[in-house]
Amino acid sequence: MNKILIGIIVLGSLAATSNQVLGSTGHSSGHNHNTTFNQTSLTIEFQKPLLIPPLLKGEVKDGVRNFDLNVTKGKWEFIDGKFTETYGYNGPILGPVLSLKKGEKTKVNIKNSLSEETTVHWHGGILSQDVDGVHNADIQPNTQKSVEFILNQPAATLWFHPHPMHKTASQVYKGLAGLIYLEDDISENLNIPKTYGVDDFPIVIQDKKLTVDGQLTYSTTHMEKIHGKSGGSLMINGIISPYIDILNGLTRLRVVNGSNATNYDIDLDGKEFYQIASDGGLLSSPISMKKLTLAPGERGEILIDSNELNNKSYLYINGKQALELRKNKKTGLTSIPKTLVEVPEITKNLNNLKTRTFSLKTTSKGNTINNTPYNMEKLNFEVQKGTQEIWEIKNGSKMMDMPHPFHVHGAQFRVIERNGKTPPLNEQGWKDTVNLNAGDSVKILITYTTDGITVYHCHILEHEEDRMMGQFQINK
Ligand code: C2O
Ligand code: CU
Ligand code: CU
């Protein structure tokens, strides 16, 4: 009799708790451990604030700005009460934002606390092979490596992620990705939002498949090798359905597509916003738009005007409410500048330049560039430092309908043509990754300013692992 009574009381209190916690999702009872909830029924939408990673300024010693990065294992609650084993830089998930200044000497001390090797690649940085984090750059478990470089390029939102052979996809998937806010005198003097975490937010979008017990086990089926690992839970900065408080006025979102393989269409439910930067820096002027598409590896900075929004509005990703924007009372910047920076015009007679062709192909056997899988021992071509070339990239995967984001290391290029036409305004600035849908053909203008061996690859990480990559040498 007693036992039964206790049982009823316990059940009663459980039901009450789950009512409170799960609220509108409708799971008020049936809270027992044998039930397999799908992930959405366990996630209360828009109850968690967006994770704002620490902004690190480093420590200046003898004119060098020093940072410490510890590549570490951790546990992260993507789903309440379930502790997922993850990787992160200096914490369980993602990484800090490194605040860098153009032209300044930077030193990053990287410690590998994982039980496998890793590397750190500075995606979008115009850096040569010795510091790029790709070739012979493995950092063995329990070892440390310091990398020194100078970013001499316009202010931009860059990012860093692992790049070890055959482990890039799984390590990014488990959580390794951080941002670089590279500033210069121009960006610092522009009247645009730049108060970190107040009107200037890093937004890393990813999707991951969590198992029933909340784990992230990276494996790929044959289909996932061909199409990339996509789907599952959508998250921003490692949080499923977060919210942010935004000022009255302008908010700047520095959006990074940090997914392994998914393209994201980002919108405000038909409301207008402005794109102010692409991968490699600010655009010449803000571009009014209603939808921004980012492929894996690409970045786009946008300005949102709270006057366009309700008290609660949403950033939609692929048609789904993904981030709640809550207006608060404080007022920030209100006027959108007419112009931003000077992006050099492409005036040179392009007909005199050498054109190189890259043909991207998806077959049921895999993905290739110019029908050749990447071979670490082989150079695909050589070029001369200081020269310019046109690369014509074609995605001939029409049958398989597979987009491929084409990325080049050590350079920021310009898109000069998309399918025979002038590219859209938001592709007219600096780029390091360009998306090609099936059937697309894109021409880029590239200038070789670094030296050594440089790679280019598809930024669908499963494709890159599957050797949809090539390398060339820039000779001094
Ligand atoms: Cu974002 Cu080769 O990398
Ligand atoms: Cu890169
Ligand atoms: Cu691809």
Side-chain angles (χ1 to χ4, degrees):
M1 185 68 191
N2 256 347
K3 267 184 193 156
I4 293 168
L5 259 180
I6 289 166
I8 290 167
I9 291 163
V10 170
L11 264 179
S13 67
L14 262 180
T17 330
S18 47
N19 240 342
Q20 233 175 9
V21 178
L22 296 169
S24 61
T25 58
H27 280 273
S28 55
S29 59
H31 195 98
N32 84 58
H33 296 282
N34 299 325
T35 316
T36 44
F37 292 111
N38 68 39
Q39 174 248 317
T40 41
S41 70
L42 274 176
T43 308
I44 325 140
E45 299 206 302
F46 312 117
Q47 294 301 304
K48 286 188 189 165
L50 181 73
L51 171 78
I52 312 287
L55 178 79
L56 303 186
K57 302 237 151 121
E59 203 187 304
V60 183
K61 275 185 241 152
D62 306 322
V64 184
R65 198 171 285 276
N66 285 263
F67 295 91
D68 291 325
L69 278 187
N70 183 13
V71 195
T72 178
K73 290 184 201 173
K75 287 206 162 58
W76 187 249
E77 247 178 306
F78 292 108
I79 301 171
D80 291 335
K82 299 203 172 176
F83 295 86
T84 311
E85 288 179 21
T86 51
Y87 285 176
Y89 297 107
N90 297 1
I93 188 90
L94 300 170
V97 174
L98 307 184
S99 169
L100 304 185
K101 183 92 192 263
K102 177 185 174 181
E104 200 177 54
K105 276 193 191 149
T106 304
K107 184 176 179 187
V108 189
N109 308 304
I110 307 158
K111 186 178 164 211
N112 182 3
S113 306
L114 304 176
S115 36
E116 58 176 344
E117 72 262 28
T118 192
T119 73
V120 183
H121 165 56
W122 318 101
H123 179 128
I126 305 182
L127 297 170
S128 58
Q129 163 195 15
D130 48 328
V131 291
D132 186 45
V134 178
H135 286 92
N136 311 316
D138 283 2
I139 311 166
Q140 296 305 321
N142 296 311
T143 64
Q144 193 148 339
K145 181 176 184 157
S146 295
V147 184
E148 268 190 78
F149 56 80
I150 298 174
L151 289 171
N152 236 324
Q153 60 190 86
T157 305
L158 310 178
W159 64 303
F160 56 95
H161 63 77
H163 219 300
M165 266 303 252
H166 310 303
K167 289 186 168 161
T168 304
S170 61
Q171 292 190 357
V172 172
Y173 196 74
K174 285 181 188 159
L176 290 172
L179 266 63
I180 294 173
Y181 276 22
L182 177 67
E183 304 294 348
D184 60 16
D185 291 341
I186 302 168
S187 72
E188 281 172 352
N189 287 311
L190 270 176
N191 200 23
I192 52 176
K194 41 177 151 348
T195 312
Y196 186 73
V198 176
D199 61 7
D200 177 350
F201 295 93
I203 300 284
V204 180
I205 309 174
Q206 297 177 311
D207 52 271
K208 299 177 196 291
K209 286 179 185 154
L210 296 160
T211 60
V212 176
D213 55 346
Q215 295 307 311
L216 274 176
T217 33
Y218 185 82
S219 63
T220 44
T221 60
H222 178 69
M223 278 320 259
E224 281 173 333
K225 281 207 179 81
I226 300 204
H227 294 284
K229 198 162 177 76
S230 235
S233 305
L234 182 69
M235 52 190 71
I236 300 182
N237 297 355
I239 311 261
I240 300 167
S241 312
Y243 71 86
I244 46 171
D245 288 317
I246 60 165
L247 299 182
N248 243 306
L250 300 177
T251 299
R252 176 185 190 179
L253 303 182
R254 307 199 190 207
V255 190
V256 181
N257 182 336
S259 76
N260 279 42
T262 315
N263 277 15
Y264 299 126
D265 286 338
I266 300 150
D267 68 72
L268 282 172
D269 199 18
K271 290 171 182 126
E272 185 183 31
F273 58 89
Y274 296 84
Q275 186 172 353
I276 57 166
S278 55
D279 305 337
L282 292 154
L283 298 165
S284 56
S285 55
I287 295 157
S288 153
M289 45 209 293
K290 291 195 169 151
K291 185 181 88 179
L292 166 67
T293 301
L294 293 179
E298 283 188 301
R299 282 90 66 214
E301 293 185 31
I302 59 173
L303 290 186
I304 292 175
D305 184 347
S306 70
N307 287 317
E308 289 279 319
L309 308 179
N310 308 323
N311 283 336
K312 269 187 190 172
S313 293
Y314 297 90
L315 191 77
Y316 286 73
I317 298 174
N318 293 348
K320 181 185 183 295
Q321 293 182 340
L323 171 69
E324 187 171 272
L325 306 162
R326 300 181 181 175
K327 267 198 225 185
N328 74 20
K329 303 261 139 46
K330 291 192 210 114
T331 299
L333 291 181
T334 50
S335 76
I336 296 168
K338 291 238 152 39
T339 60
L340 296 164
V341 298
E342 225 170 289
V343 178
E345 254 183 77
I346 303 165
T347 46
K348 206 174 158 166
N349 189 353
L350 301 173
N351 293 329
N352 297 331
L353 298 179
K354 179 178 167 57
T355 299
R356 229 174 253 289
T357 318
F358 298 83
S359 150
L360 317 179
K361 213 183 271 164
T362 305
T363 68
S364 55
K365 288 200 198 78
N367 298 281
T368 53
I369 301 176
N370 292 341
N371 296 312
T372 337
Y374 176 66
N375 180 346
M376 218 190 203
E377 315 295 325
K378 269 201 186 133
L379 287 177
N380 294 89
F381 55 91
E382 290 180 53
V383 298
Q384 198 57 44
K385 185 174 175 176
T387 57
Q388 279 192 314
E389 288 187 349
I390 291 171
W391 286 13
E392 186 169 13
I393 311 147
K394 293 180 182 170
N395 181 354
S397 315
K398 218 153 191 158
M399 284 269 292
M400 304 288 284
D401 200 28
M402 189 71 232
H404 297 289
F406 185 88
H407 170 53
V408 191
H409 281 217
Q412 286 292 338
F413 54 76
R414 302 287 297 282
V415 180
I416 49 181
E417 228 176 81
R418 177 177 278 285
N419 298 328
K421 298 195 196 90
T422 312
L425 286 171
N426 68 332
E427 273 190 337
Q428 293 183 17
W430 294 110
K431 296 282 293 165
D432 55 55
T433 308
V434 62
N435 184 52
L436 289 101
N437 288 326
D440 278 358
S441 159
V442 161
K443 280 189 189 168
I444 63 172
L445 174 66
I446 184 163
T447 311
Y448 308 115
T449 56
T450 61
D451 51 64
I453 297 171
T454 303
V455 298
Y456 51 89
H457 60 83
C458 176
H459 217 284
I460 289 179
L461 299 179
E462 287 71 27
H463 292 180
E464 185 233 307
E465 303 262 282
D466 203 28
R467 296 176 296 155
M468 193 178 194
M469 174 148 110
Q471 64 185 359
F472 61 108
Q473 180 159 310
I474 306 172
N475 296 313
K476 278 194 213 179

